[in-house]
């Protein structure tokens, strides 16, 4: 208890999956949390479940004005902003041959530009008093998937965006840490929708079940605990790091 007592966190994608788990766990450790998601209804629901420590705001990470409004709402609600968790993201399957320019554009808008926008605002705000930025990449940002072309590229971009920001802040003596988290296969609505869209969902499920050597299915909380660590002072020496939480998949 209390590992994030003085923290004020804005969690994008906080209405579902990993973002919602992170919001719950951050609040359980004393943080105040703004749940920012384009699904405003689900955001309200998660905030209500958490209670007084949480509020919600509608955010489309692809939209600059929406970002400004979400940050303003956080400052107004809690009087500060010290943690940004960029969990909003989309997953679409598609190869270099099958993907359309529109698929590519949508994935980059949300996964890359959306994350970049949030980081830009966070650095501007946090450079005075410090803070922690946590960006959701993926194991697909380390190893490409042939049928996850744009998605892999987007997550690789998030990985290096994170390192660039970490070095920029450290070089200036700003206590703004920036780290990426690389989940393996985690049981969230994103994953289940992905399976449902495949021609043979059961075969796809069985194939993905082989990816993580530990042989256990990952839950959103497995990633949420890592996010709590990165938000807290326990990770004060950790910046520009890629935190892999994947049941051993990248060790192969
Ligand atoms: N689930 C996995 O196996 C897995 C693995 C590796 C990485 N990730 C990454 O973790 C992050 C969270 O994924 P998840 O599995 O919890 O997915 P999810 O679909 O359960 O949650 C994603 C949330 O992001 C929100 N969102 C999508 N586009 C948005 C936008 N433009 N603006 C604001 N909110 C938006 C959705 O409404 C949703 O609430 C994503 O970045 C994803 O790429 C997930």
């Amino acid at each position: 208890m209390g590992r994030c007592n003085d923290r004020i966190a804005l969690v994008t994608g906080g209405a579902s999956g990993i973002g919602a788990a992170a919001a719950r766990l951050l609040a359980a450790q004393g943080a105040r949390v703004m749940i920012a998601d384009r699904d405003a209804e689900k955001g309200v629901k998660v905030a209500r479940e958490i209670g007084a420590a949480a509020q919600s705001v509608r955010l489309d990470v692809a939209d600059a004005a929406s970002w400004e409004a979400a940050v303003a709402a956080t400052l107004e609600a809690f009087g500060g902003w010290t943690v940004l968790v960029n969990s909003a993201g989309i997953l679409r399957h598609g190869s270099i041959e099958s993907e359309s320019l529109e698929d590519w554009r949508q994935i980059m808008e949300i996964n890359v530009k959306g994350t970049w926008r949030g980081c830009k605002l966070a650095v501007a705000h946090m450079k005075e008093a410090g803070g922690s930025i946590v960006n959701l990449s993926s194991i697909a940002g380390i190893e490409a998937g042939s049928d996850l072309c744009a998605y892999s590229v987007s997550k690789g971009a998030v990985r290096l965006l994170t390192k660039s920001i970490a070095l920029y802040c450290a070089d200036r003596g700003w206590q703004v840490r920036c780290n990426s988290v690389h989940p393996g296969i985690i049981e969230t609505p994103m994953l289940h929708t992905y399976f449902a869209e495949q021609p043979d969902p059961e075969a796809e499920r069985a194939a993905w079940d082989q990816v993580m050597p530990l042989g256990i299915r990952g839950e959103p909380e497995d990633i949420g605990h890592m996010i709590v660590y990165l938000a807290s002072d326990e990770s004060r020496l950790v910046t520009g790091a890629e935190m892999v939480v994947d049941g051993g998949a990248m060790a192969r």
Side-chain angles (χ1 to χ4, degrees), residues 2-153:
R3 293 161 65 205
C4 297
N5 264 346
D6 54 349
R7 299 297 192 263
I8 297 168
L10 189 163
V11 182
T12 78
S16 177
I18 291 168
R24 289 191 188 97
L25 291 169
L26 284 164
Q29 291 300 330
R32 282 164 294 160
V33 183
M34 182 59 78
I35 290 165
D37 201 293
R38 73 176 169 189
D39 189 334
E41 223 171 283
K42 271 176 82 181
V44 168
K45 214 169 143 240
V46 174
R48 282 210 185 115
E49 278 165 25
I50 293 173
Q55 293 197 24
S56 67
V57 64
R58 188 184 180 281
L59 167 68
D60 179 354
V61 295
D63 182 72
S66 179
W67 258 114
E68 299 276 355
V71 171
T74 306
L75 295 174
E76 196 184 323
F78 302 124
W81 181 26
T82 56
V83 175
L84 170 63
V85 180
N86 277 309
S87 190
I90 55 170
L91 170 71
R92 305 254 189 287
H93 66 100
S95 68
I96 186 64
E97 286 204 289
S98 68
E99 255 165 9
S100 66
L101 184 59
E102 185 49 25
D103 294 333
W104 174 273
R105 198 192 58 75
Q106 267 188 25
I107 291 173
M108 296 305 159
E109 273 299 306
I110 295 173
N111 293 5
V112 184
K113 214 205 275 181
T115 301
W116 176 85
R117 281 189 198 285
C119 290
K120 199 168 172 61
L121 291 168
V123 168
H125 184 83
M126 294 174 190
K127 63 185 178 185
E128 298 296 333
S132 173
I133 301 171
V134 183
N135 292 328
L136 270 296
S137 178
S138 169
I139 53 172
I142 299 172
E143 253 185 15
S146 64
D147 200 35
L148 290 174
C149 181
Y151 183 78
S152 300
V153 173

Side-chain angles (χ1 to χ4, degrees), residues 174-213:
W174 301 342
Q175 295 304 308
V176 182
R177 296 182 295 103
C178 186
N179 293 287
S180 55
V181 177
H182 300 256
I185 292 157
I186 309 298
E187 303 299 315
T188 68
M190 174 185 278
L191 184 73
H192 299 145
T193 305
Y194 178 82
F195 288 145
E197 285 169 352
Q198 302 305 307
D200 185 348
E202 278 181 30
E204 195 73 14
R205 165 94 257 180
W208 284 49
D209 274 345
Q210 301 305 308
V211 169
M212 299 202 289

